[in-house]
Each structure stands twice: as C-alpha cells, then as structure tokens.
Coordinates of all heavy atoms in Angstrom, one line a residue:
M66 N -109.2 -40.0 -53.4 CA -108.5 -40.6 -54.5 C -109.4 -40.5 -55.7 O -110.6 -41.0 -55.6 CB -108.1 -42.0 -54.2 CG -107.4 -42.6 -55.4 SD -106.8 -44.3 -54.8 CE -107.1 -45.2 -56.3
S67 N -109.0 -40.0 -56.8 CA -109.8 -39.9 -58.0 C -109.7 -41.2 -58.9 O -108.6 -41.8 -58.9 CB -109.5 -38.7 -58.8 OG -108.2 -38.8 -59.3
I68 N -110.7 -41.5 -59.6 CA -110.7 -42.7 -60.4 C -110.3 -42.2 -61.8 O -110.8 -41.3 -62.4 CB -112.0 -43.4 -60.5 CG1 -112.4 -43.9 -59.1 CG2 -112.1 -44.5 -61.5 CD1 -113.8 -44.4 -59.0
L69 N -109.3 -42.8 -62.4 CA -108.8 -42.5 -63.7 C -109.8 -43.0 -64.8 O -110.1 -44.1 -64.8 CB -107.4 -43.1 -63.9 CG -106.8 -42.9 -65.3 CD1 -106.4 -41.5 -65.5 CD2 -105.6 -43.8 -65.5
K70 N -110.2 -42.1 -65.6 CA -111.0 -42.5 -66.8 C -110.2 -43.2 -67.8 O -109.0 -42.8 -67.9 CB -111.7 -41.2 -67.4 CG -112.8 -40.7 -66.6 CD -113.5 -39.6 -67.3 CE -114.6 -39.0 -66.5 NZ -115.4 -38.0 -67.2
H71 N -110.7 -44.1 -68.5 CA -110.0 -44.9 -69.5 C -109.9 -44.1 -70.8 O -110.6 -44.5 -71.8 CB -110.6 -46.3 -69.7 CG -110.4 -47.1 -68.4 ND1 -110.9 -48.4 -68.4 CD2 -109.8 -46.9 -67.3 CE1 -110.6 -48.9 -67.2 NE2 -109.9 -48.0 -66.5
Y72 N -109.1 -43.1 -70.9 CA -109.0 -42.4 -72.2 C -108.1 -43.3 -73.1 O -107.0 -43.7 -72.7 CB -108.3 -41.0 -72.0 CG -109.1 -40.0 -71.4 CD1 -109.2 -39.7 -70.1 CD2 -109.9 -39.2 -72.3 CE1 -109.9 -38.7 -69.5 CE2 -110.7 -38.2 -71.8 CZ -110.7 -37.9 -70.4 OH -111.5 -36.9 -69.9
C73 N -108.5 -43.5 -74.3 CA -107.7 -44.3 -75.2 C -106.3 -43.7 -75.4 O -105.4 -44.4 -75.7 CB -108.5 -44.4 -76.6 SG -110.0 -45.3 -76.5
R74 N -106.2 -42.4 -75.4 CA -104.9 -41.7 -75.6 C -103.9 -42.1 -74.6 O -102.7 -42.0 -74.8 CB -105.1 -40.2 -75.6 CG -105.5 -39.7 -74.3 CD -106.0 -38.3 -74.3 NE -105.1 -37.3 -74.9 CZ -105.4 -36.1 -75.2 NH1 -106.7 -35.7 -75.0 NH2 -104.6 -35.3 -75.8
Y75 N -104.3 -42.6 -73.4 CA -103.3 -43.0 -72.4 C -103.3 -44.5 -72.2 O -103.0 -45.1 -71.2 CB -103.7 -42.4 -71.0 CG -103.5 -40.9 -71.0 CD1 -104.5 -40.0 -70.9 CD2 -102.2 -40.4 -71.1 CE1 -104.3 -38.7 -70.9 CE2 -102.0 -39.0 -71.1 CZ -103.1 -38.2 -71.0 OH -102.9 -36.8 -71.0
C76 N -103.6 -45.3 -73.3 CA -103.6 -46.7 -73.3 C -102.4 -47.2 -74.1 O -102.0 -46.6 -75.1 CB -104.9 -47.3 -73.9 SG -104.9 -49.1 -73.9
S77 N -101.7 -48.2 -73.6 CA -100.5 -48.7 -74.3 C -100.8 -49.3 -75.6 O -99.9 -49.5 -76.4 CB -99.8 -49.7 -73.4 OG -100.5 -50.8 -73.2
H78 N -102.1 -49.6 -75.9 CA -102.5 -50.2 -77.2 C -102.8 -49.2 -78.2 O -103.0 -49.5 -79.4 CB -103.7 -51.1 -77.0 CG -103.5 -52.2 -76.0 ND1 -102.5 -53.2 -76.2 CD2 -104.0 -52.4 -74.8 CE1 -102.5 -54.0 -75.1 NE2 -103.4 -53.6 -74.3
C79 N -102.8 -47.9 -77.9 CA -103.2 -46.8 -78.8 C -101.9 -46.3 -79.6 O -100.9 -46.0 -78.9 CB -103.9 -45.7 -78.1 SG -104.4 -44.4 -79.2
I80 N -102.1 -46.2 -80.9 CA -101.0 -45.6 -81.7 C -101.6 -44.4 -82.4 O -102.5 -44.5 -83.1 CB -100.5 -46.6 -82.7 CG1 -99.9 -47.9 -82.1 CG2 -99.4 -46.0 -83.6 CD1 -99.6 -49.0 -83.0
G81 N -101.0 -43.2 -82.1 CA -101.5 -42.0 -82.7 C -101.2 -41.9 -84.1 O -100.0 -42.1 -84.5
Q82 N -102.2 -41.7 -85.0 CA -102.0 -41.6 -86.4 C -101.9 -40.1 -86.9 O -101.5 -39.9 -88.0 CB -103.2 -42.2 -87.1 CG -103.4 -43.7 -86.8 CD -102.3 -44.6 -87.4 OE1 -101.9 -44.4 -88.5 NE2 -101.7 -45.5 -86.6
G83 N -102.4 -39.2 -86.0 CA -102.3 -37.8 -86.4 C -102.7 -37.0 -85.1 O -102.6 -37.5 -84.0
E84 N -103.2 -35.8 -85.3 CA -103.6 -35.0 -84.1 C -104.9 -35.4 -83.5 O -105.1 -35.1 -82.4 CB -103.6 -33.5 -84.6 CG -102.2 -33.0 -84.9 CD -102.3 -31.5 -85.2 OE1 -103.2 -30.8 -84.7 OE2 -101.4 -31.0 -85.8
S85 N -105.8 -36.1 -84.3 CA -107.1 -36.3 -83.7 C -107.5 -37.8 -83.8 O -108.6 -38.1 -83.3 CB -108.1 -35.4 -84.4 OG -108.2 -35.7 -85.7
T86 N -106.8 -38.6 -84.5 CA -107.2 -40.0 -84.7 C -106.0 -41.0 -84.3 O -104.9 -40.6 -84.4 CB -107.7 -40.4 -86.1 OG1 -106.7 -40.1 -87.0 CG2 -109.0 -39.6 -86.4
G87 N -106.4 -42.2 -83.9 CA -105.4 -43.2 -83.6 C -105.9 -44.5 -83.9 O -107.1 -44.7 -84.3
L88 N -105.1 -45.5 -83.7 CA -105.5 -46.9 -83.9 C -105.3 -47.7 -82.6 O -104.3 -47.7 -82.0 CB -104.6 -47.5 -85.0 CG -104.8 -49.0 -85.3 CD1 -106.1 -49.2 -86.0 CD2 -103.6 -49.5 -86.2
C89 N -106.4 -48.5 -82.3 CA -106.3 -49.4 -81.1 C -105.8 -50.7 -81.7 O -106.4 -51.4 -82.5 CB -107.6 -49.6 -80.5 SG -107.6 -50.8 -79.2
E90 N -104.5 -51.1 -81.3 CA -104.0 -52.3 -81.8 C -104.7 -53.6 -81.3 O -104.8 -54.5 -82.0 CB -102.5 -52.5 -81.3 CG -101.5 -51.6 -81.9 CD -100.1 -51.9 -81.4 OE1 -99.9 -52.0 -80.2 OE2 -99.2 -52.0 -82.3
K91 N -105.2 -53.5 -80.1 CA -105.9 -54.7 -79.5 C -107.2 -55.0 -80.2 O -107.5 -56.1 -80.5 CB -106.2 -54.4 -78.1 CG -106.4 -55.6 -77.2 CD -105.1 -56.3 -77.1 CE -105.2 -57.3 -75.9 NZ -104.1 -58.2 -75.8
K92 N -108.0 -53.9 -80.5 CA -109.3 -54.1 -81.2 C -109.3 -53.8 -82.7 O -110.3 -54.0 -83.3 CB -110.3 -53.2 -80.5 CG -110.6 -53.5 -79.0 CD -111.7 -52.7 -78.5 CE -111.9 -53.2 -77.0 NZ -113.0 -52.6 -76.4
N93 N -108.2 -53.4 -83.2 CA -108.0 -53.1 -84.6 C -109.1 -52.1 -85.1 O -109.8 -52.4 -86.1 CB -108.0 -54.3 -85.4 CG -107.3 -54.1 -86.8 OD1 -106.6 -53.1 -87.0 ND2 -107.6 -55.0 -87.7
E94 N -109.3 -51.0 -84.4 CA -110.3 -50.0 -84.8 C -109.7 -48.6 -84.6 O -108.8 -48.4 -83.7 CB -111.6 -50.2 -84.1 CG -111.5 -50.0 -82.6 CD -112.9 -50.3 -81.9 OE1 -113.6 -51.2 -82.4 OE2 -113.1 -49.6 -80.9
M95 N -110.3 -47.6 -85.3 CA -109.8 -46.3 -85.2 C -110.5 -45.6 -84.0 O -111.7 -45.9 -83.7 CB -110.2 -45.5 -86.4 CG -109.5 -45.9 -87.7 SD -107.7 -45.8 -87.6 CE -107.5 -44.1 -87.8
V96 N -109.8 -44.8 -83.2 CA -110.3 -44.1 -82.1 C -110.0 -42.6 -82.2 O -109.1 -42.2 -82.9 CB -109.7 -44.6 -80.8 CG1 -110.1 -46.0 -80.5 CG2 -108.2 -44.5 -80.8
K97 N -110.9 -41.8 -81.6 CA -110.7 -40.3 -81.6 C -109.9 -39.9 -80.4 O -109.7 -40.7 -79.4 CB -112.0 -39.6 -81.6 CG -112.8 -39.8 -82.9 CD -114.1 -39.0 -82.8 CE -114.8 -39.2 -84.1 NZ -116.1 -38.5 -84.1
R98 N -109.3 -38.7 -80.5 CA -108.5 -38.2 -79.4 C -109.3 -38.1 -78.1 O -108.8 -38.3 -77.0 CB -108.0 -36.8 -79.7 CG -107.0 -36.3 -78.8 CD -106.3 -35.1 -79.3 NE -107.3 -34.0 -79.3 CZ -107.0 -32.7 -79.4 NH1 -105.7 -32.4 -79.5 NH2 -107.9 -31.8 -79.4
T99 N -110.6 -37.9 -78.2 CA -111.4 -37.7 -77.0 C -112.1 -39.0 -76.5 O -113.0 -39.0 -75.6 CB -112.5 -36.6 -77.2 OG1 -113.2 -37.0 -78.4 CG2 -111.8 -35.3 -77.4
S100 N -111.8 -40.1 -77.2 CA -112.5 -41.4 -76.8 C -112.2 -41.8 -75.4 O -111.1 -41.8 -74.9 CB -112.0 -42.5 -77.8 OG -112.4 -42.2 -79.1
I101 N -113.3 -42.2 -74.7 CA -113.2 -42.7 -73.4 C -113.9 -44.1 -73.4 O -115.0 -44.2 -73.8 CB -113.9 -41.8 -72.3 CG1 -113.3 -40.5 -72.3 CG2 -113.9 -42.4 -70.9 CD1 -114.0 -39.5 -71.5
R102 N -113.2 -45.1 -72.9 CA -113.8 -46.5 -72.9 C -113.6 -47.0 -71.5 O -112.7 -47.8 -71.2 CB -113.0 -47.4 -73.9 CG -113.0 -46.8 -75.3 CD -114.0 -47.6 -76.1 NE -114.2 -46.9 -77.4 CZ -113.5 -47.2 -78.5 NH1 -112.5 -48.0 -78.5 NH2 -113.8 -46.5 -79.6
D103 N -114.5 -46.6 -70.6 CA -114.4 -47.0 -69.2 C -114.6 -48.5 -69.0 O -114.2 -49.1 -68.0 CB -115.3 -46.2 -68.3 CG -114.8 -44.8 -68.0 OD1 -113.6 -44.6 -68.1 OD2 -115.6 -43.9 -67.8
A104 N -115.4 -49.1 -69.9 CA -115.7 -50.5 -69.8 C -114.7 -51.4 -70.6 O -114.8 -52.6 -70.6 CB -117.1 -50.8 -70.3
C105 N -113.7 -50.8 -71.1 CA -112.7 -51.6 -71.9 C -111.8 -52.5 -71.0 O -111.1 -51.9 -70.2 CB -111.8 -50.6 -72.8 SG -110.7 -51.5 -73.8
R106 N -111.9 -53.8 -71.2 CA -111.1 -54.7 -70.4 C -109.6 -54.7 -70.9 O -108.8 -55.2 -70.1 CB -111.7 -56.1 -70.5 CG -113.0 -56.2 -69.9 CD -113.6 -57.6 -70.0 NE -114.9 -57.6 -69.5 CZ -115.3 -58.2 -68.4 NH1 -114.4 -58.8 -67.7 NH2 -116.5 -58.2 -68.0
D107 N -109.3 -54.2 -72.0 CA -108.0 -54.2 -72.6 C -107.2 -53.0 -72.2 O -106.0 -52.9 -72.5 CB -108.0 -54.4 -74.1 CG -108.6 -55.7 -74.5 OD1 -108.4 -56.7 -73.9 OD2 -109.3 -55.6 -75.5
F108 N -107.8 -52.0 -71.5 CA -107.1 -50.8 -71.2 C -105.9 -51.1 -70.3 O -106.0 -51.8 -69.3 CB -108.1 -49.8 -70.4 CG -107.4 -48.5 -70.1 CD1 -107.3 -47.5 -71.0 CD2 -107.0 -48.3 -68.8 CE1 -106.7 -46.3 -70.7 CE2 -106.4 -47.1 -68.4 CZ -106.2 -46.1 -69.4
D109 N -104.8 -50.5 -70.7 CA -103.5 -50.7 -70.0 C -102.9 -49.3 -69.9 O -102.4 -48.7 -70.9 CB -102.6 -51.6 -70.7 CG -101.3 -51.9 -69.9 OD1 -101.3 -51.8 -68.7 OD2 -100.3 -52.1 -70.6
F110 N -102.9 -48.6 -68.7 CA -102.5 -47.3 -68.5 C -101.0 -47.1 -68.9 O -100.2 -47.9 -68.6 CB -102.7 -46.8 -67.1 CG -102.2 -45.4 -66.8 CD1 -102.9 -44.3 -67.3 CD2 -101.0 -45.2 -66.1 CE1 -102.4 -43.0 -67.1 CE2 -100.6 -43.9 -65.9 CZ -101.3 -42.8 -66.4
Y111 N -100.8 -46.1 -69.7 CA -99.5 -45.7 -70.2 C -99.4 -44.2 -70.0 O -100.2 -43.5 -70.5 CB -99.2 -46.1 -71.6 CG -97.8 -45.9 -72.1 CD1 -96.8 -46.6 -71.5 CD2 -97.6 -45.1 -73.2 CE1 -95.5 -46.4 -72.0 CE2 -96.3 -44.9 -73.6 CZ -95.2 -45.6 -73.0 OH -94.0 -45.4 -73.5
E112 N -98.4 -43.6 -69.3 CA -98.4 -42.2 -68.9 C -98.1 -41.3 -70.0 O -98.2 -40.1 -69.9 CB -97.5 -42.0 -67.7 CG -96.0 -42.2 -68.1 CD -95.1 -41.9 -66.9 OE1 -95.6 -41.6 -65.8 OE2 -93.9 -42.0 -67.1
I113 N -97.7 -41.8 -71.2 CA -97.4 -40.9 -72.3 C -98.6 -40.8 -73.3 O -99.2 -41.8 -73.7 CB -96.2 -41.4 -73.1 CG1 -95.0 -41.6 -72.2 CG2 -95.9 -40.5 -74.3 CD1 -94.5 -40.3 -71.6
D114 N -99.0 -39.6 -73.6 CA -100.2 -39.3 -74.5 C -99.8 -39.7 -75.9 O -98.9 -39.2 -76.5 CB -100.5 -37.8 -74.4 CG -101.8 -37.5 -75.1 OD1 -102.2 -38.3 -76.0 OD2 -102.4 -36.4 -74.8
A115 N -100.5 -40.7 -76.5 CA -100.2 -41.2 -77.8 C -100.3 -40.1 -78.9 O -99.7 -40.2 -79.9 CB -101.1 -42.4 -78.1
F116 N -101.2 -39.2 -78.7 CA -101.5 -38.2 -79.8 C -100.4 -37.0 -79.8 O -100.3 -36.4 -80.8 CB -102.9 -37.6 -79.7 CG -103.9 -38.6 -79.9 CD1 -104.6 -39.2 -78.9 CD2 -104.2 -39.1 -81.2 CE1 -105.6 -40.2 -79.2 CE2 -105.1 -40.0 -81.5 CZ -105.8 -40.6 -80.5
Y117 N -99.8 -36.8 -78.7 CA -98.8 -35.7 -78.6 C -97.4 -36.1 -78.6 O -96.5 -35.3 -78.9 CB -99.1 -34.9 -77.3 CG -100.3 -34.1 -77.4 CD1 -101.4 -34.4 -76.6 CD2 -100.4 -33.0 -78.3 CE1 -102.6 -33.7 -76.7 CE2 -101.6 -32.3 -78.3 CZ -102.7 -32.6 -77.5 OH -103.8 -31.9 -77.6
Y118 N -97.1 -37.4 -78.4 CA -95.7 -37.8 -78.3 C -94.9 -37.6 -79.5 O -93.8 -37.1 -79.4 CB -95.7 -39.3 -77.9 CG -94.3 -39.9 -77.8 CD1 -93.6 -39.5 -76.7 CD2 -93.7 -40.7 -78.7 CE1 -92.3 -40.0 -76.5 CE2 -92.4 -41.1 -78.6 CZ -91.7 -40.8 -77.4 OH -90.4 -41.2 -77.3
N119 N -95.4 -37.8 -80.7 CA -94.6 -37.7 -81.9 C -94.5 -36.3 -82.5 O -93.7 -36.1 -83.4 CB -95.2 -38.6 -83.0 CG -95.1 -40.1 -82.7 OD1 -94.1 -40.5 -82.1 ND2 -96.1 -40.9 -83.0
R120 N -95.2 -35.4 -82.0 CA -95.2 -34.0 -82.6 C -94.7 -32.9 -81.6 O -94.9 -31.8 -81.9 CB -96.6 -33.7 -83.2 CG -97.7 -33.5 -82.1 CD -99.0 -33.2 -82.9 NE -100.0 -33.1 -81.9 CZ -100.4 -31.9 -81.5 NH1 -99.9 -30.8 -81.8 NH2 -101.4 -31.8 -80.6
I121 N -94.1 -33.3 -80.6 CA -93.5 -32.3 -79.7 C -92.0 -32.5 -79.5 O -91.5 -33.6 -79.8 CB -94.2 -32.3 -78.3 CG1 -94.0 -33.7 -77.6 CG2 -95.6 -31.9 -78.4 CD1 -94.5 -33.7 -76.2
D122 N -91.3 -31.5 -79.1 CA -89.8 -31.6 -79.0 C -89.4 -32.3 -77.7 O -88.5 -33.0 -77.6 CB -89.2 -30.2 -79.0 CG -89.4 -29.5 -80.3 OD1 -89.5 -30.2 -81.3 OD2 -89.5 -28.3 -80.3
N123 N -90.2 -32.0 -76.6 CA -89.9 -32.6 -75.3 C -90.9 -33.7 -74.9 O -92.0 -33.3 -74.6 CB -89.8 -31.5 -74.3 CG -89.4 -32.0 -72.9 OD1 -89.0 -33.1 -72.7 ND2 -89.4 -31.1 -71.9
P124 N -90.5 -34.9 -74.9 CA -91.5 -36.0 -74.5 C -92.0 -35.8 -73.1 O -93.1 -36.4 -72.8 CB -90.7 -37.3 -74.6 CG -89.5 -37.0 -75.5 CD -89.3 -35.5 -75.3
E125 N -91.4 -35.1 -72.2 CA -91.9 -34.9 -70.8 C -93.2 -34.1 -70.9 O -94.0 -34.2 -70.0 CB -90.8 -34.1 -70.0 CG -89.6 -35.0 -69.7 CD -89.9 -36.1 -68.7 OE1 -90.7 -35.9 -67.8 OE2 -89.4 -37.2 -69.0
D126 N -93.4 -33.3 -71.9 CA -94.6 -32.5 -72.0 C -95.8 -33.4 -72.3 O -97.0 -33.0 -72.1 CB -94.5 -31.5 -73.1 CG -93.5 -30.4 -72.8 OD1 -93.2 -30.2 -71.6 OD2 -93.0 -29.7 -73.7
A127 N -95.6 -34.6 -72.8 CA -96.7 -35.5 -73.2 C -97.1 -36.4 -72.0 O -98.0 -37.2 -72.2 CB -96.3 -36.4 -74.4
K128 N -96.5 -36.3 -70.8 CA -96.8 -37.1 -69.7 C -98.1 -36.8 -69.1 O -98.5 -35.6 -69.1 CB -95.7 -37.1 -68.6 CG -94.5 -37.9 -68.9 CD -93.6 -38.0 -67.7 CE -92.6 -39.0 -67.9 NZ -91.7 -39.2 -66.8
Y129 N -98.8 -37.8 -68.6 CA -100.1 -37.6 -67.9 C -99.9 -36.7 -66.6 O -99.1 -37.0 -65.8 CB -100.7 -38.9 -67.5 CG -102.0 -38.9 -66.8 CD1 -103.1 -38.5 -67.4 CD2 -102.0 -39.1 -65.4 CE1 -104.3 -38.4 -66.6 CE2 -103.2 -39.1 -64.7 CZ -104.3 -38.7 -65.3 OH -105.5 -38.6 -64.6
R130 N -100.8 -35.7 -66.5 CA -100.8 -34.9 -65.3 C -102.3 -34.8 -64.8 O -103.1 -34.2 -65.5 CB -100.3 -33.5 -65.6 CG -98.8 -33.4 -65.8 CD -98.4 -32.0 -66.0 NE -97.2 -31.9 -66.8 CZ -97.1 -31.8 -68.1 NH1 -98.2 -31.6 -68.8 NH2 -96.0 -31.8 -68.8
P131 N -102.6 -35.4 -63.7 CA -104.0 -35.4 -63.2 C -104.4 -33.9 -62.9 O -103.5 -33.1 -62.5 CB -104.0 -36.2 -62.0 CG -102.5 -36.4 -61.6 CD -101.7 -36.1 -62.8
R132 N -105.6 -33.6 -63.1 CA -106.1 -32.3 -62.8 C -106.2 -32.1 -61.3 O -106.4 -33.1 -60.5 CB -107.6 -32.2 -63.3 CG -107.6 -32.1 -64.8 CD -109.0 -31.9 -65.2 NE -109.1 -31.9 -66.7 CZ -110.2 -31.8 -67.3 NH1 -111.4 -31.7 -66.7 NH2 -110.2 -31.8 -68.7
E133 N -106.0 -30.9 -60.9 CA -106.1 -30.6 -59.4 C -107.6 -30.5 -59.1 O -108.4 -30.0 -59.8 CB -105.4 -29.2 -59.1 CG -103.9 -29.3 -59.3 CD -103.3 -27.9 -59.0 OE1 -104.0 -27.1 -58.4 OE2 -102.2 -27.8 -59.4
T134 N -108.0 -31.0 -57.9 CA -109.3 -30.9 -57.5 C -109.7 -29.5 -57.1 O -108.9 -28.8 -56.5 CB -109.6 -31.9 -56.3 OG1 -108.7 -31.5 -55.2 CG2 -109.4 -33.3 -56.7
K135 N -110.9 -29.1 -57.5 CA -111.3 -27.7 -57.2 C -112.1 -27.7 -55.9 O -112.8 -28.7 -55.6 CB -112.3 -27.2 -58.3 CG -111.6 -27.1 -59.6 CD -112.6 -26.6 -60.7 CE -111.9 -26.5 -62.0 NZ -112.9 -26.1 -63.0
S136 N -111.9 -26.7 -55.1 CA -112.6 -26.6 -53.8 C -114.0 -26.1 -54.1 O -114.2 -25.3 -55.1 CB -111.9 -25.6 -52.9 OG -111.8 -24.3 -53.4
K137 N -115.0 -26.6 -53.4 CA -116.4 -26.2 -53.6 C -116.7 -24.8 -53.1 O -117.6 -24.2 -53.6 CB -117.3 -27.2 -53.0 CG -117.0 -28.6 -53.5 CD -118.3 -29.3 -53.8 CE -118.0 -30.7 -54.3 NZ -118.9 -31.1 -55.3
E138 N -116.0 -24.3 -52.1 CA -116.3 -23.1 -51.5 C -115.1 -22.2 -51.4 O -114.0 -22.7 -51.1 CB -116.9 -23.3 -50.2 CG -117.6 -22.1 -49.6 CD -118.3 -22.5 -48.3 OE1 -119.2 -23.4 -48.3 OE2 -118.0 -21.9 -47.3
C139 N -115.2 -20.9 -51.7 CA -114.1 -20.0 -51.6 C -114.0 -19.5 -50.2 O -115.0 -19.1 -49.6 CB -114.3 -18.9 -52.6 SG -113.0 -17.6 -52.5
D140 N -112.8 -19.5 -49.6 CA -112.7 -19.0 -48.2 C -112.9 -17.5 -48.0 O -113.4 -17.1 -47.0 CB -111.3 -19.4 -47.7 CG -111.1 -20.9 -47.6 OD1 -112.1 -21.6 -47.5 OD2 -109.9 -21.3 -47.7
G141 N -112.6 -16.7 -49.0 CA -112.7 -15.3 -48.9 C -114.0 -14.7 -49.4 O -114.2 -13.5 -49.4
Q142 N -114.9 -15.5 -49.9 CA -116.2 -15.0 -50.5 C -117.2 -14.6 -49.4 O -117.4 -15.3 -48.4 CB -116.8 -16.1 -51.3 CG -117.9 -15.6 -52.2 CD -118.4 -16.6 -53.2 OE1 -117.9 -17.7 -53.2 NE2 -119.3 -16.2 -54.0
L143 N -117.8 -13.4 -49.6 CA -118.8 -12.9 -48.7 C -120.1 -13.4 -49.0 O -120.5 -13.6 -50.2 CB -118.8 -11.4 -48.7 CG -117.4 -10.7 -48.3 CD1 -117.6 -9.2 -48.5 CD2 -117.1 -11.0 -46.9
S144 N -121.0 -13.6 -48.0 CA -122.3 -14.1 -48.2 C -123.2 -12.8 -48.4 O -123.0 -11.8 -47.8 CB -122.8 -14.9 -47.0 OG -124.2 -15.1 -47.1
L145 N -124.2 -13.0 -49.2 CA -125.2 -11.9 -49.4 C -126.2 -11.8 -48.2 O -126.8 -10.7 -48.0 CB -126.0 -12.1 -50.7 CG -125.2 -12.0 -52.0 CD1 -126.1 -12.4 -53.1 CD2 -124.7 -10.7 -52.2
F146 N -126.3 -12.8 -47.4 CA -127.3 -12.9 -46.4 C -126.7 -12.5 -45.0 O -127.4 -12.2 -44.0 CB -127.9 -14.2 -46.3 CG -128.5 -14.7 -47.6 CD1 -127.9 -15.6 -48.4 CD2 -129.7 -14.0 -48.0 CE1 -128.5 -16.0 -49.6 CE2 -130.2 -14.4 -49.2 CZ -129.6 -15.4 -50.0
E147 N -125.4 -12.4 -44.9 CA -124.8 -12.0 -43.6 C -124.5 -10.5 -43.7 O -124.0 -10.0 -44.7 CB -123.5 -12.7 -43.3 CG -123.7 -14.2 -43.1 CD -122.4 -14.9 -42.9 OE1 -121.4 -14.3 -42.7 OE2 -122.4 -16.2 -43.0
T148 N -124.8 -9.8 -42.6 CA -124.5 -8.3 -42.5 C -123.5 -8.0 -41.4 O -123.3 -8.7 -40.5 CB -125.8 -7.5 -42.4 OG1 -126.4 -8.0 -41.2 CG2 -126.6 -7.7 -43.6

C-alpha cells in the first residue's frame, strides 16, 4: 500500500485561482500547484484536483488516479554476465 502525499491540490481546503496558484482557505495563504505539505494537520483528501476542475469539460478527468507501481526488474531482460 502506498502512502498518499499531501498535495495541496487534492485538499478540500484548496481553491484553484488559476493554472498554477491556489488559495488555502484554512491557512489563508497562497499555494502552488506542486505544493506538498506532508506535515499539514488540516489536510483533508478530496479526489478532485482543484487546479483542473474549473478549466476542463469533463470533471471525471480531474479525479485523482494513483500512479502504477513500477517493477524493479524486467522479466525479459538478458544479463551481460550469463552466456
């Protein structure tokens, strides 16, 4: 299970002001699109991205999608040391 980083863009307190900045209602401060606040006690996960919700046609495109985990080793890769 992966641990979700506290991106401000996925917090219910974030209001997107444009494509790259937003406002944190709880702390009353401006945040950037890439802001991560892992120690923020006010973080409340919201699956809709605050920066993309207002500027797309389909709100489903703004939903949170976790990244797929990458495998460390390729099954079909050959070793240089085996003959």
Side-chain angles (χ1 to χ4, degrees):
M66 181 176 143
S67 65
I68 297 173
L69 176 71
K70 289 187 177 182
H71 293 177
Y72 284 96
C73 292
R74 67 194 305 167
Y75 292 113
C76 181
S77 64
H78 302 296
C79 182
I80 299 172
Q82 301 290 316
E84 292 185 22
S85 60
T86 59
L88 175 69
C89 176
E90 285 185 314
K91 202 72 163 173
K92 295 185 178 188
N93 199 21
E94 64 183 35
M95 297 300 285
V96 294
K97 293 183 180 179
R98 186 172 71 165
T99 56
S100 295
I101 300 174
R102 306 256 168 91
D103 284 335
C105 183
R106 294 178 185 253
D107 298 321
F108 181 79
D109 183 30
F110 178 71
Y111 187 62
E112 68 179 1
I113 305 296
D114 188 338
F116 294 103
Y117 289 110
Y118 181 72
N119 292 325
R120 65 183 181 94
I121 59 174
D122 296 330
N123 185 6
E125 291 292 318
D126 292 340
K128 280 192 172 182
Y129 175 74
R130 288 183 206 95
R132 292 183 182 176
E133 294 181 15
T134 56
K135 295 180 181 178
S136 61
K137 301 230 179 209
E138 197 173 300
C139 179
D140 294 335
Q142 189 172 5
L143 300 174
S144 171
L145 294 174
F146 304 107
E147 293 179 15
T148 55

